[in-house]
């Protein structure tokens, strides 16, 4: 792990720390560099340790050149929601191989990201907001399918992130925007239609991701084979 040569106040701000705490961290960091930690009050030393523990580790060499896709904030946000939905489905005691439409959507988006490995920096994540409307459209189709081949239950889409924010600072936004999040319909598909729906999602999401994200503009990768997985 590399040691920083200057304070990282901007990173704390990006993590959601208040302006007051960010300024306090920068001031204490500078003081420690000049006069040493022993000259700080115990409370200030504890604050510095807390701030530095919240910062991601500094890496060098190849690891610094390319951060793994699964470590990118956008990817972790999707995986966070997928985990919340998986846990909710376990409590539903669904029929064998029945599956929620939303987890399938997230699984297929994550699979495509694993395959193409976009940069997922600011240009990509800004463009990726277009995916919100696509997910809503596919989920609406899934609700109609679930009415015939499954069931529709309720899921509080706001709750997982609200619970996380109560525990730690995060700048993640909700999976669904405010105008759609009030709808808690959560379509569950019978096993007989899960695979067909998954293939429809792949057919729509894979080219969308490849064509939308700026960092994939010059990719020459074809669509992933049906049997491709990250492992």
């Amino acid at each position: 792990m590399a040691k920083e040569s200057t304070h990282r106040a901007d990173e704390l701000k990006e993590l959601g720390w208040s302006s007051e705490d960010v300024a306090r961290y920068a001031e204490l960091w500078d003081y420690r560099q000049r006069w040493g930690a022993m000259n700080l009050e115990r409370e200030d030393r504890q604050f510095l340790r807390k701030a530095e523990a919240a910062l991601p580790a500094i890496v060098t060499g190849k690891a610094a050149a390319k951060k793994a896709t699964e470590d990118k904030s956008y990817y972790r946000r999707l995986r966070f929601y997928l985990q919340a939905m998986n846990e909710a489905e376990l409590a539903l005691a669904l029929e064998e191989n029945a599956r929620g439409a939303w987890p399938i959507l997230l699984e297929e988006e994550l699979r495509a990201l694993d395959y193409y490995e976009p940069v997922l920096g600011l240009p990509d994540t800004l463009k990726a907001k277009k995916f919100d409307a696509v997910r809503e459209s596919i989920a609406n189709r899934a609700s109609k399918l679930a009415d015939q081949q499954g069931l529709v239950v309720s899921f509080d889409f706001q709750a997982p992130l609200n619970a996380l924010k109560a525990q730690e600072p995060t700048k993640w936004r909700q999976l669904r925007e405010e105008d759609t999040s009030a709808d808690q319909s959560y379509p569950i598909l019978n096993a007989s239609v899960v695979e067909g729906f998954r293939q429809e999602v792949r057919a729509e999401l894979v080219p969308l991701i490849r064509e939308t994200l700026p960092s994939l503009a010059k990719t020459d990768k074809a669509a992933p084979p049906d049997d491709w997985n990250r492992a």
Side-chain angles (χ1 to χ4, degrees), residues 77-95:
R77 170 176 164 266
L78 294 185
R79 191 170 55 188
F80 165 78
Y81 277 104
L82 175 58
Q83 181 179 346
M85 293 173 185
N86 285 340
E87 292 173 356
E89 289 190 15
L90 283 175
L92 292 175
L94 300 176
E95 294 182 4

Side-chain angles (χ1 to χ4, degrees), residues 118-129 131 212-216:
V119 173
L120 292 180
L122 186 59
D124 279 352
T125 55
L126 287 176
K127 289 289 186 180
K129 289 183 178 181
F131 301 160
T212 301
L213 301 185
S215 68
L216 297 178

